Amino acid sequence: MSDPDVIVVGGGISGLSAAWWLARSGRSVEVWEQDARLGGKIASRQADGYLTERAASMMLNFRPEVSQLLAAIGLDDARIPCPSAPQCQRYLVRNRGLVSVPMRLGALVRSPLWSLRGKLRLLAEPLVPRGGHPDETVSEFVVRRLGREVLETAMEPFVAGPLASDPDQASAHAVLPRLVALEQRYGSLVIGASVRRILRRGTAPVRELFSFDGGMATLIRALSATSGVRFRARCTARHLEPTRSGWRLTGQMPERELTVRARELVLSVPAPAAAALLHPLDSDLGRLLDGIEYGALTVVHVAFDRSAIRHPLDGMGFLVPRSEGLPLTGCQWMSSTFPARAPRGKALLTCYVGGARAPQTRDWTDSRSIDAVMALLEPLLGIDAAPEQVWIDRHESGLPLYHGAYFGRLHAMTKRLRNWSGLHLAANYRGGVSVRDRITCAHATARRIHTSLAGSRSAGSATAFDSSTTPAVLRSLG
Ligand SMILES: Cc1cc2nc3c(=O)[nH]c(=O)nc-3n(C[C@H](O)[C@H](O)[C@H](O)COP(=O)(O)OP(=O)(O)OC[C@H]3O[C@@H](n4cnc5c(N)ncnc54)[C@H](O)[C@@H]3O)c2cc1C
């Protein structure tokens, strides 16, 4: 069997979508995945009429590449949209009660979440002069532009919840690249957003929040069926070596060792795994990767008879600001958002424990995590019964936190990579953790590879890359 053009190490969404874009442009690709199952963090569990997600439960998309991929793999009809207003209401915990998050300007003005002073500070944002520096934290950026109340009640729960990170340590450039770019370009977030809205009138990308029939595993299944890609499960990359024409990769399969050559190599594995492979070649690059911090997360799914919960569950769930002093960062009301994920008459709630806010929860037993969840849910939602079912998913290294001088770290990594022709790092510590960002970054990586291979050898088609331009945040990753 001939050598592939590209080997992708890691069969999570980053690796699978990179392989898909490459195959679509006519390249031969192998994906090596150490587990028996493809999907990495993403996996959907079906049991007793419930569907629970191990990690990503839905995706928010506004990128044309992502829409293109989903349509091409036949998932347009499998999408299950999240409810639109008013059922998409989100809440914040405030003094152990729930306050709805304002979705429109009028509601924001009336909202009890912010004081009059906080609201005036928010409205004064266009008057704040440009500022900041490359290592500015999320907290510094948000307080400087929007005020402390917005940080504590809006940005902190968002950064601690879906991103598991700590805004006092997370890099604004890495975590909020679009907001930072608005300030740099227009001098103001409010003015920048308004100008963009006017310029894009009629052509603005639609923001869609959805999952799939059968859960996020449906996306993984569809990508795992990509023709032109050879998938090698239970194949752990152990050693890589540059050759005159590309890379030689050695891996361990259950019964034998395997060595394959390819022109280009994509490492779509978590940073510690990439560091282990790269240390012998480039200790500086290895150190940069090793220095990336990850947050541990415990996902606790609890199911109840609907009659046991007094709250109407009229929304998608809630986030918990740090001011509440809790180890939980949020709870998604899954059966309200996706009714098919629970049997009729039952309620499924998915809670997130840990992250940078509560690293001590990494060592908690299952029962301690369940107790912490129930101690909040019972009074908050008026629950007067024990859960009928509980499932727990643990992620020892759940998400990269983007802490510290991350922008500098990414730039230093990009600079080191210039010494290694044909080597690409494409995983969720670079360019965003969301499924959308992973697919968008994979598109950019595949385009770079396609261009490089087209320069050295003709084959393949560029049409897979025609429909969009690479966003600025990805250009900065080189
Ligand atoms: C609890 C949780 C909830 C989330 N919720 C959402 C959400 O609702 N929406 C959203 O958009 N995002 C969400 N995310 C983020 C998103 O799920 C992840 O960022 C994304 O799935 C990571 O994909 P990846 O391919 O970069 O990494 P991974 O999924 O970690 O894949 C890396 C793969 O590399 C393999 N590997 C490692 N080393 C080797 C080796 N040496 N050889 C071969 N293979 C190797 C691993 O086995 C793994 O399969 C969530 C994440 C978590 C943890």
Side-chain angles (χ1 to χ4, degrees):
M1 181 149 189
S2 60
D3 290 331
D5 292 321
V6 189
I7 301 176
V8 177
V9 182
I13 185 64
S14 299
L16 292 178
S17 45
W20 185 85
W21 289 112
L22 287 161
R24 186 174 166 88
S25 67
R27 302 299 169 188
S28 56
V29 188
E30 280 196 10
V31 173
W32 291 19
E33 167 53 50
Q34 67 182 9
D35 283 352
R37 174 191 69 79
L38 293 168
K41 296 269 182 302
I42 296 176
S44 310
R45 175 197 295 114
Q46 303 214 30
D48 302 328
Y50 291 93
L51 188 151
T52 53
E53 299 282 6
R54 188 171 147 67
S57 56
M58 61 187 80
M59 50 190 293
L60 170 67
N61 183 37
F62 47 81
R63 294 290 319 169
E65 308 87 321
V66 178
S67 307
Q68 186 190 350
L69 177 143
L70 295 178
I73 60 176
L75 289 192
D76 271 352
D77 291 342
R79 284 191 210 199
I80 310 284
C82 293
S84 46
Q87 291 90 341
C88 66
Q89 181 62 56
R90 281 110 161 144
Y91 293 87
L92 272 183
V93 177
R94 186 87 183 258
N95 303 323
R96 299 296 198 271
L98 289 177
V99 181
S100 66
V101 176
M103 312 286 265
R104 301 190 175 280
L105 188 63
L108 185 147
V109 172
R110 290 191 302 275
S111 172
L113 276 176
W114 293 298
S115 67
L116 178 62
R117 194 187 158 101
K119 288 171 190 165
L120 291 174
R121 174 65 184 82
L122 181 60
L123 294 175
E125 192 274 338
L127 307 175
V128 177
R130 264 196 194 87
H133 52 87
D135 292 337
E136 190 171 32
T137 65
V138 168
S139 295
E140 287 166 345
F141 175 80
V142 175
V143 170
R144 185 170 59 73
R145 293 244 46 107
L146 300 160
R148 180 152 293 280
E149 285 193 32
V150 171
L151 171 71
E152 296 302 336
T153 46
M155 204 50 91
E156 189 280 333
F158 170 76
V159 172
L163 305 179
S165 193
D166 174 356
D168 292 348
Q169 300 183 65
S171 152
H173 276 75
V175 170
L176 307 173
R178 292 172 189 88
L179 293 186
V180 171
L182 279 184
E183 181 190 37
Q184 284 173 349
R185 178 129 193 230
Y186 300 99
S188 151
L189 311 187
V190 173
I191 294 175
S194 310
V195 171
R196 286 245 166 120
R197 208 169 300 127
I198 293 165
L199 290 178
R200 288 179 174 176
R201 190 162 282 167
T203 60
V206 183
R207 293 171 76 84
E208 297 169 301
L209 191 57
F210 55 89
S211 184
F212 302 98
D213 190 8
M216 296 298 287
T218 299
L219 171 62
I220 300 300
R221 262 194 303 278
L223 288 171
S224 308
T226 305
S227 62
V229 179
R230 176 175 190 153
F231 295 99
R232 293 185 189 272
R234 294 180 207 242
C235 181
T236 306
R238 292 268 189 245
H239 179 71
L240 49 93
E241 195 185 329
T243 65
R244 273 201 302 167
S245 56
W247 291 86
R248 182 167 45 228
L249 185 64
T250 305
Q252 188 63 51
M253 298 188 73
E255 280 104 33
R256 66 189 170 105
E257 206 177 70
L258 173 76
T259 299
V260 176
R261 290 161 185 269
R263 300 294 304 271
E264 307 263 336
L265 177 61
V266 182
L267 297 185
S268 288
V269 296
L277 287 166
L278 288 168
H279 253 302
L281 279 186
D282 184 332
S283 54
D284 285 346
L285 187 51
R287 262 195 300 275
L288 287 163
L289 285 158
D290 257 339
I292 294 175
E293 283 177 60
Y294 279 71
L297 278 167
T298 305
V299 187
V300 182
H301 313 269
V302 280
F304 300 87
D305 194 87
R306 183 65 190 85
S307 61
I309 305 178
R310 287 195 295 281
H311 193 280
L313 300 180
D314 51 347
M316 295 182 64
F318 61 80
L319 289 173
V320 186
R322 60 183 165 191
S323 53
E324 296 292 316
L326 293 166
L328 260 77
T329 57
C331 172
Q332 286 182 310
W333 301 339
M334 285 300 178
S335 48
S336 300
T337 309
F338 302 114
R341 288 193 184 180
R344 191 183 291 269
K346 304 289 177 184
L348 174 64
L349 313 177
T350 294
C351 301
Y352 300 89
V353 178
R357 181 192 291 173
Q360 74 280 9
T361 60
R362 185 188 298 257
D363 304 322
W364 282 8
T365 59
D366 286 356
S367 62
R368 185 150 183 210
S369 300
I370 297 167
D371 287 350
V373 163
M374 292 308 298
L376 175 65
L377 292 188
E378 279 173 2
L380 198 65
L381 301 179
I383 298 178
D384 51 22
E388 292 181 342
Q389 307 251 23
V390 180
W391 297 270
I392 294 193
D393 292 301
R394 289 181 177 277
H395 299 274
E396 179 64 25
S397 300
L399 285 169
L401 301 176
Y402 289 64
H403 279 182
Y406 210 82
F407 197 58
R409 184 184 296 279
L410 290 179
H411 272 286
M413 280 166 44
T414 303
K415 234 165 120 187
R416 298 293 321 160
L417 280 172
R418 290 199 191 112
N419 299 330
W420 300 107
S421 166
L423 176 65
H424 309 266
L425 300 179
N428 65 354
Y429 56 86
R430 241 176 143 226
V433 301
S434 71
V435 173
R436 174 200 64 246
D437 286 341
R438 299 320 321 137
I439 297 174
T440 308
C441 287
H443 175 266
T445 303
R447 180 155 67 174
R448 270 199 305 280
I449 292 174
H450 179 80
T451 308
S452 150
L453 288 175
S456 55
R457 185 157 44 114
S458 67
S461 122
T463 50
F465 306 111
D466 286 349
S467 78
S468 71
T469 52
T470 311
V473 56
L474 301 182
R475 283 199 299 273
S476 74
L477 299 180

